[in-house]
Structure formats: C-alpha cells, structure tokens
C-alpha cells in the first residue's frame, strides 16, 4: 500500500513519523511553546532533523473542553509557519477542520490535510481533491467542547471502523484519490480509557480497513489512568503504543517526542521486514 500526499509518496511497509507543532496557546501538552512563528518553524526543522517524515502544524486546540478558534486567527497562526516549512522542502501537514484554512495552507505548500472531523466542513473534500494532497480522516464523537462527557458506544471498534469506511467512501465520491487517504481512530476524541484500550487491542482490524492507519496517542491523558504519569512524563507510555500499533499494522505515528519514536520505529521496521 502507498499513501500519496501531493509530491510525497509513502510506502506503507515502513513506518512514518509525523511530528507535532501546535501553534496554539492552549494545546494540552505543548500549548504556548510554539506560538511565535520563528519558534514554531525552528521546532519543525528540529523534528525533521530528528527523523520526522511529516510536520503536522495545528492552529486550533482540540483538547477536551476547548472552544473553537476564529477562522481568521487560525489562518494567522498556521499559514506563515506552513509556508516556511514547505519552502524548506518538507512534507507539511495542516491540522484543521476548516476547508478555508486547508485551502490557504495547501496554497502555501502543505502536502497533507489532517482533519480531526473527517470532512465535517462540506467544502473540505473538494478542496483536498482539487489540490491532490494527502488527507487524514479521524474519528471523533461529538465536539471538543463536550466530547468527553460520558461517551457511549455499543461496540466502539465496529462503530469507529464503520465511520472511517463511510468517510473514506464519501471523500472518494467527492473527488479525493483513495490512495491519498489515511484513517485514524482518534484516541481521546469522545472515548473513555476503556474505549481507547479496545481500539488499541483492535489495531489489526483497523489496519485491515485498507488505508494507512494513523495513531495519535502521544502524551494523551489515557496514560494517566493506566500508567499514572504526568503529561510530560508519558514518552515511554507513548512508545509502548507506538510499538504495539506498528506491530498491529499501523503506518503513521503522530508524536511530540520524535527522536524516541524514530528509534522505536527503526527497530520495528527492521523486524517487520523479516515477516
Ligand atoms: N490529536 C490531536 C490533534 N490532532 N490529529 C490526528 N490525526 N490524530 C490525533 O490523535 C490528534 C490529531 C490532539 O492532540 P495534540 O494536542 O497533541 O495536537
């Protein structure tokens, strides 16, 4: 399988590390660190030097309880950073739910749109299809403001799988190349710890849906319950899920701690090559 993202094509037999740069004042683990564009660009370059294949730039926090940001503010935060990283020749992803922001970022050189709402904006799929960029479709139940208020599923794996399949088909019907689409179960987005663990346990079933699987567990609060560690002490817990999900067939790991993830991926890739 391949994942086609504009000028970049990823061979999914090897893992892909996506490094996170949140240009937000309020993201849960790196909020406020990279709000200055120079600092954000420098950090993106650092992540690539550490081995990230993609830099994911976000201008709206989607942490539980977060309110949406104004479109003009989101544009101001992300577009200058995307432009400078893309000008440096990097594969840049824009983490946005808005087609307007995606379009501006794609114009500025982004190669991937990472949409945690899986195309809730009616113009999103046409925007991505016209640009020929990559697209990450993520599952979220509810909205960031209220998604962690008693989320309920009869069968979380079946429901998330069905949703991701349906959104993939909808994106293709709206003009997105199937090879450009990756899918993500959305850890922590309207899920209890139990739901997150069930999804981790079912990695092989999610990977069998036929598109590259993106895993975003980095530093998330699910680890506080299983490993009792603070947000900045979750590198090892994150790595455990990185290795687990790669062995289950995942391709892309979206992480803050790139150097550690790259090491783990290199080991797993070496072993997987012998299977
Ligand atoms: N998590 C966050 C933001 N964007 N995108 C994808 N595809 N998957 C995720 O799990 C995801 C995401 C929230 O976490 P952050 O504060 O680390 O960005």
């Amino acid at each position: 399988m391949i994942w086609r993202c504009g000028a970049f094509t990823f061979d999914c037999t090897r893992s892909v590390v996506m490094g996170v740069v949140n240009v937000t004042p309020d993201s849960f683990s790196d909020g406020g660190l990279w709000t200055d564009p120079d600092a954000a660009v420098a950090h993106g370059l650092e992540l690539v030097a550490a081995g990230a294949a993609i830099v994911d730039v976000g201008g709206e926090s989607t942490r539980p309880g977060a309110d949406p940001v104004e479109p003009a503010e989101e544009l101001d935060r992300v577009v200058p950073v995307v432009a400078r990283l893309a000008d440096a020749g990097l594969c840049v992803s824009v983490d946005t739910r808005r087609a307007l922001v995606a379009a501006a970022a794609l114009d500025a050189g982004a190669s991937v749109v990472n949409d945690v709402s899986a195309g809730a904006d009616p113009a999103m799929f046409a925007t991505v299809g016209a640009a020929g960029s990559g697209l990450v479709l993520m599952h979220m139940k509810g909205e960031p403001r209220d998604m962690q208020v008693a989320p309920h599923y009869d069968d979380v794996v079946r429901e998330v799988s069905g949703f991701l399949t349906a959104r993939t088909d909808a994106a293709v019907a709206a003009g997105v190349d199937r090879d450009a689409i990756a899918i993500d179960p959305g850890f922590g987005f309207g899920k209890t710890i139990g739901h997150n663990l069930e999804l981790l346990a079912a990695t092989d079933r999610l990977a069998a849906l036929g598109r590259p699987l993106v895993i975003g567990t980095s530093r998330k609060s699910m680890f506080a319950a299983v490993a009792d560690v603070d947000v900045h002490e979750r590198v090892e817990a994150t790595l455990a899920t990185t290795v687990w999900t790669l062995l289950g067939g995942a391709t892309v790991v979206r992480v803050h701690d790139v150097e550690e993830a790259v090491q783990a991926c290199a080991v797993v890739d070496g072993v997987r090559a012998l299977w």
Side-chain angles (χ1 to χ4, degrees):
M1 192 161 44
I2 57 161
W3 184 30
R4 214 184 283 286
C5 303
F8 299 86
T9 299
F10 298 99
D11 161 11
C12 299
T13 59
R14 298 189 64 79
S15 51
V16 174
V17 175
M18 175 188 267
V20 180
V21 180
N22 282 316
V23 193
T24 57
D26 55 344
S27 288
F28 77 97
S29 88
D30 61 348
L33 288 179
W34 321 116
T35 43
D36 169 53
D38 289 341
V41 170
H43 186 55
L45 294 171
E46 261 168 33
L47 296 182
V48 170
I54 303 173
V55 182
D56 189 39
V57 179
E60 179 191 42
S61 172
T62 46
R63 72 177 201 291
D67 283 321
V69 65
E70 287 300 317
E73 174 67 26
E74 191 184 351
L75 279 169
D76 277 358
R77 289 178 185 173
V78 294
V79 174
V81 176
V82 166
R84 285 168 61 188
L85 291 171
D87 284 350
L90 308 185
C91 182
V92 182
S93 158
V94 61
D95 185 342
T96 186
R97 299 187 278 171
R98 292 192 170 107
L100 177 84
V101 175
L106 291 166
D107 273 352
S111 300
V112 181
V113 175
N114 174 21
D115 181 359
V116 300
S117 75
D121 183 329
M124 184 61 96
F125 293 156
T127 302
V128 170
S133 70
L135 174 64
V136 179
L137 296 173
M138 197 198 79
H139 176 273
M140 167 164 59
K141 195 177 180 82
E143 287 285 314
R145 199 183 302 121
D146 59 7
M147 66 191 178
Q148 288 306 102
V149 181
H152 172 80
Y153 303 82
D154 289 329
D155 180 338
V156 67
V157 177
R158 195 171 44 77
E159 286 173 53
V160 169
S161 301
F163 173 86
L164 293 173
T165 301
R167 295 314 288 160
T168 299
D169 292 344
V172 171
V176 180
D177 182 356
R178 192 172 286 274
D179 283 348
I181 298 171
I183 55 173
D184 182 336
F187 290 98
F189 284 85
K191 284 142 193 127
T192 62
I193 309 296
H195 297 141
N196 291 321
L197 293 176
E198 276 188 70
L199 289 165
L200 283 171
T203 303
D204 54 345
R205 284 169 61 192
L206 298 169
L209 295 175
R211 294 310 310 146
L213 184 62
V214 180
I215 299 294
T217 53
S218 187
R219 300 181 181 172
K220 284 190 177 166
S221 62
M222 56 188 277
F223 298 127
V226 291
D228 190 22
V229 278
D230 176 71
V231 66
H232 293 295
E233 294 165 357
R234 296 177 186 160
V235 183
E236 295 84 352
T238 302
L239 284 174
T241 59
T242 297
V243 172
W244 171 264
T245 54
L246 291 176
L247 290 175
T251 302
V252 184
V253 287
R254 179 185 179 278
V255 292
H256 305 84
D257 302 293
V258 165
E259 203 175 328
E260 293 84 350
V262 167
Q263 270 192 32
C265 287
V267 174
V268 175
D269 285 349
V271 176
R272 284 205 294 193
L274 302 177
W275 278 4

